[in-house]
Each structure stands twice: as C-alpha cells, then as structure tokens.
Amino acid sequence: MNICVSNGEAVQFELRFACEGKVQEDVPFTGEFLSKWITFDGGIPVLLMGLGKRAELDRKRARRAAAKGVSTLIEMEVSSIGIDVSLILGVLGEGSLRAVAESALLALYRLPGWHFEEKARRETALFIKGAEEITDAQEQLEEARRLAEQVCRARDLVNAPSNLLYPQTMAEEMVRLGQKVGLSMSVLDEKQAAELGMEAFLTVGKDAAQPPRLIVARYDGDPESSERIALVGKGITCDTGGYCLKPASSMGGIKGDMAGAAAVFCALCALAESGARVNATVVIPAAENRIAPGSFLPGDIIGSMSGKKIEIGNTDAEGRLVLADAVTYAIRREHATAVLDIATLTGAVVSMFGFTTAGLLCDDEEMCADFLRAAELSDEQYWRLPIFPEYERMIDGKLSDVSNVSTDGCGTITAGLFIRRFAEGLPWMHLDIAGTAWTDPPRWEYQSKGATGAGVTTIYHFCRRWGEAHRNSAQSGAEN
Ligand code: BES
Ligand code: ZN
Ligand code: MN
C-alpha cells in the first residue's frame, strides 16, 4: 500500500472534490454528495467528486467521498492517482488528512482469490496534493497506511474460509505476523490449556475436527508501567451452533466468527508498528464449534479456569464460554489491569443496531468516554447499552453459578454481563460486533463485500489514549 505527499510527479488521473453549488458553467455537475464528473485540466483528466453541502460535510462524508473517488478510478484501471485534499482540509481542518488517506487506501482492498495462485493485489499509487503546507502530513499518512494495512489484514483473516483458517493455522499466521512487528507470541495447545483448568474454553472445542488453541500476543510499549490492558477477541473459526444447530440459512457467515480475534490482533500490530506507549496483551481463544460425538450438550454443567461453574442452556452461545476463560487467563497469567473484550457475539445486536453500529457495555465511565472519543477518530459507530441490576439476575444459574443463556431476553446485554462475571472487578468493556464485522452489500464506500475489519482502528486509538492516561512507574512505585 502506497500513499505519499505529491512532489509534483505526473499522475494518470486527479481526484478533486467539490461542495454543492454551481461548480462549473455549462456542466450538469453540481457537487451533490457522491455525484461525479470527469473533466480535464491542462491535459490531465480529473474526476470531480461531490461532497454535498458544505455545512453538512463531516469526516465520515469525506471518507466516503474519497473512497468512492478512488474506487471509481480503480474500476477505470488507473494506476496512479493524485488526490487533491485542499478543499476537505479547508473545511474540516488539517487533522482530517489521516481519515481521507485511510479510506482512500481502504478502497484499494481486494478479496484474495484462493482458487488461483495468490493474485497480486492491484498496486495503485496514491499521491496527496494540497497538503504541502501541513507540517505533520508525513506522520498522518504513515499512520493512515499502518491502520489501513491492518484493517485489510483483519479482513483477510475473517474472509478466510474455515477449512483453511482453523485454530492451528490462525495461530501460525498470527505468530508469523506478530513476530514481524516485534510482538511476543505464544500459543497454548489443548494440553497446556487443560493444565490451567480452562474447561469452558476446551468444552467448546472438544472433539472438533481441529483442536483449540489459545493465542497470546504481548506488546510491552511502556516497560516502566505496570498497567496493562487485556484485549480479548472471540476466535471461533467456525460456528455451526453445535448440537443447537443453526439453520442452513444462518450458516453463511459462520467462518466470520473470529472477527473479534482479528480486530484485537491487528490493532495490536498497528500499536507495535507505531511504537505506542502502552502495555497490552491480546488473548484469543481459538476453537471450532461443531457437532461431534464428544461435543457438549444443553444441560451440561462445566467448570472454568476461574472456578465458577457454568450451566449450558444453548450450545450456540459458545462465544461467552471461550471468552470467560480467556479473560481469566489475561487477568491471572498476564496481570491485566483492565479488560476489553470484542466478539461477534449475538444476533440480538444485529436486530437492534443493524450492520453499521456495534453494541458497547462498560462499567467504567472514564474507560467508556475514552473509547467513544477514540471512535470519533475512527468514524466507527458504537452505542452503549445499560447495565441495570435486574439484567444480572437473568443469567444466574439454577444448578451452578451462571448460565450461558438469559431466562428473560436482553440477549446482547446478558451475553456481555456473562463475560463481566469473569473480569474480577477490573474496569471492563465489551464490544458486540456481530452486525458490523461483516457486510453484504457494503454499507459505506470504504468497505468491500464480506469482512469489514471492524474494531481495528477504534481499539488502536483507544489503546493509545489508555496508555497515556494510565501510565505509572512500576520501578519506583511512585505515581506520576
Ligand atoms: N456467533 C453467533 C452470533 C452471531 C449471529 C454472529 C449473527 C453474527 C451474526 C453466536 O455464537 C450465537 O450463535 N449467538 C446466539 C446466542 C443465543 C443462542 C443465546 C444468538 O445470538 O442467536
Ligand atoms: Zn458464535
Ligand atoms: Mn454461536
């Protein structure tokens, strides 16, 4: 992926933006949002992309217009594009360069083809014009490139089919990618997980075609501090529902049930590449949820690494089981001081918020505020759900500590609260991306059909803020 500030090199095509109003005499193009027009300037072809009314222009619209412009030119097989950002930066400020560059790069994403030899991704060179005066332009473009690359990597992981990407191959791929950016990687097999008592995790993956793996990626960006955030991502590489089998009509997306895992891993890679001052550990419980002779059954009562007993109401509510043990692992073995988990966890969140907005639960006001500010930088949409005391009772077990299904609705909230029972009182946040991780058709111009890479950018920005706000000095034990 390639983007840089233009040095006046010749490009095949220019992309320029226009706000609504009479843009040019004698042409029908008025600058209406996402409308386009091709013209020439000094012999260079120019694609004009409408931004809509100036007063309505925001960063999200700028992202959408930039992506649509680049996609249009790629369809025309243009190999070098000069993007004139002066109008957008004039309206939205210099800091919006990163957002525009990021979505221009995301428009370059192409699905990998597995049926042939890995096809080279189309290499289109992007040059930014109109940012020459901006002192941190180079930094903003670098950050945009790092983020776009990691979003694309997350999309690749989620788009990969379950027969190719299963716990062991996902672990191998992440070890390879993680080591390249300097993460400390470790992978626990089922025997090592059993020694730690991870029964909730192992129960889901038991007797499946491919054995489970616990993938751990550590980034020590602030060795002076003892603060560490756990980033726990659901890594179910195929979710058939188990004995509570999904209907065939719901099986289309079962390979995408590890989007939470992809999000936290790729966000951590971006943090490492940028040298962010934060300590973070990604923990991914990777397993298949299948039907096999030894698979778990509704009514079973199982243990967990925490010691809590869990009764199974539904084998399709498997995500919270594997996440519970992963959270305990992050706290007890990695000494996390705050927990963020992310998962394609419930159909209920899709009914509530559709495919553009993820659900959020959080029991710490400062953590929540920081995350929502990070979401403003990424232009992803999250909406916070309430934690009322009566919701807690809905997952109390009859024969055990906790049940994996609610007795009384509130599917998204109770799924989150199940996981919170394993957070040991630490500041905790939960993101349900079942609606936003996958899109067909694309809802925004910077997406492509299939995996979206949801969560990567917001988690990255959030962790940077969190590192900034939670720095202490472990050596001296002093606050600063
Ligand atoms: N991975 C699914 C949730 C999901 C649904 C993701 C739709 C993407 C699109 C999860 O494991 C699941 O099956 N959840 C059940 C829970 C229920 C049985 C309590 C659900 O939401 O139906
Ligand atoms: Zn699932
Ligand atoms: Mn399920």
Side-chain angles (χ1 to χ4, degrees), residues 3-9 97 126-132 134 137-138 141:
I3 194 160
C4 57
V5 175
S6 166
N7 285 320
E9 45 278 275
L97 174 60
L126 302 179
F127 298 95
I128 295 288
K129 306 180 70 171
E132 295 77 11
I134 296 173
Q138 216 45 263
L141 293 186

Side-chain angles (χ1 to χ4, degrees), residues 393-415:
R393 304 281 73 82
M394 295 176 187
I395 50 168
D396 281 339
K398 290 188 200 69
L399 308 164
S400 65
D401 296 301
V402 61
S403 162
N404 83 331
V405 287
S406 160
T407 50
D408 212 11
C410 304
T412 302
I413 295 171
T414 51

